[in-house]
Amino acid sequence: MPSNEPTTRLGTGRMVALLLVGTLTFLVIALVAPWVWQTFRSASGPATMAAAPLAGLPWQIERRPDGSSLVFGLDLGHGTLQQVATRWPDEKLELALVRDPQGVFTLEGYLENIRAGFVQGKMVLTGAADTATLQGWAERATHREPQPSGTWRLTLNPQDQATALAAPLAGLVFLPAARFDEATAVERFGPAPERLTTQDGTVHLLYPEQGVVIALDPQERAKPVLQYVAPSAFDRLRAPLKR
């Protein structure tokens, strides 16, 4: 009579193998499941389901009750040039004095390449300082360079540069890298309460409540120029255009 022993041994081996595979599978699931769940939660959570809106765009302007404003993350009316340096720490803020043909000095700062949200461009800043302070900086300037516009650019000495960073931020000009037309400006900033055309054909869109003037070339030969001041100081931008 044939023996069933070999068959019994083969079945036992299979059972042992199945038990080992099952045990290993359970261990893998137990180890991996928490990581998979956490990944799923992170991927499907509110932070990734809806991306946070971009901030610091040129048309995102917060007017404050005291007549100041917040734009590009800068406080026009209360901020300083040091705030600008802190806002873009990877960009070198260059400070200089500019002397116009009438001999009037202005403190200016320059950022060669900044990103405001998804918009890139250059920025020119104006710092407020009294006449005596400006004159002292001019006398101690380390370099003087004539400009094509007929102005002179004076380089501040290192000590005066450190002092100038504390100057109040009086205004700024943003020069976007990309061209855009009037329709795009109105789409972003809204309809302009005032619209002026100067003798050279440049169209100026005035937004007194936001403290902004946008200069556009209708032929799009030149890039737009965006000027910002605190809304309470808007006449500084309007007055030269109405002369």
Side-chain angles (χ1 to χ4, degrees):
M1 182 174 180
S3 172
N4 291 328
E5 186 177 351
T7 303
T8 303
R9 289 178 180 173
L10 180 60
T12 302
R14 287 178 177 175
M15 289 180 64
V16 171
L18 288 172
L19 285 172
L20 288 173
V21 171
T23 302
L24 289 173
T25 303
F26 175 80
L27 290 173
V28 170
I29 292 173
L31 291 171
V32 173
W35 175 83
V36 172
W37 172 244
Q38 185 62 36
T39 303
F40 175 77
R41 289 187 63 189
S42 300
S44 59
T48 54
M49 289 289 286
L54 288 173
L57 291 163
W59 50 87
Q60 293 176 331
I61 305 166
E62 177 187 341
R63 177 179 175 137
R64 293 169 172 169
D66 64 355
S68 63
S69 63
L70 187 67
V71 60
F72 299 108
L74 305 174
D75 190 343
L76 285 173
H78 301 294
T80 65
L81 293 177
Q82 179 61 61
Q83 183 189 27
V84 179
T86 303
R87 173 69 177 81
W88 290 284
D90 296 333
E91 296 296 327
K92 181 182 178 182
L93 175 61
E94 298 183 8
L95 298 180
L97 285 182
V98 175
R99 181 184 183 276
D100 69 14
Q102 288 72 43
V104 177
F105 290 104
T106 303
L107 173 62
E108 292 189 352
Y110 308 91
L111 289 170
E112 185 63 28
N113 184 25
I114 66 164
R115 180 177 291 275
F118 57 81
V119 183
Q120 285 187 302
K122 300 179 181 181
M123 188 172 283
V124 182
L125 308 122
T126 303
D130 59 56
T131 303
T133 299
L134 293 170
Q135 186 63 43
W137 288 343
E139 293 171 358
R140 296 186 294 272
T142 60
H143 182 69
R144 293 169 170 79
E145 182 181 357
Q147 303 297 302
S149 61
T151 62
W152 283 79
R153 181 175 177 179
L154 288 68
T155 303
L156 299 175
N157 70 41
Q159 184 176 354
D160 289 337
Q161 285 202 32
T163 304
L165 285 172
L169 179 59
L172 64 89
V173 176
F174 182 60
L175 307 170
R179 289 178 170 83
F180 59 83
D181 58 14
E182 185 172 348
T184 302
V186 171
E187 178 185 354
R188 296 298 190 181
F189 288 83
E194 300 178 49
R195 184 182 186 275
L196 299 174
T197 302
T198 48
Q199 291 183 349
D200 61 359
T202 301
V203 172
H204 302 268
L205 305 180
L206 284 68
Y207 297 86
E209 291 299 311
Q210 288 76 36
V212 185
V213 172
I214 304 174
L216 299 165
D217 179 1
Q219 307 299 322
E220 296 190 37
R221 293 165 299 187
K223 294 180 180 179
V225 177
L226 284 66
Q227 301 179 74
Y228 299 80
V229 294
S232 60
F234 188 74
D235 281 344
R236 283 175 38 207
L237 300 183
R238 178 194 280 125
L241 299 175
K242 292 196 170 184
R243 288 174 185 167

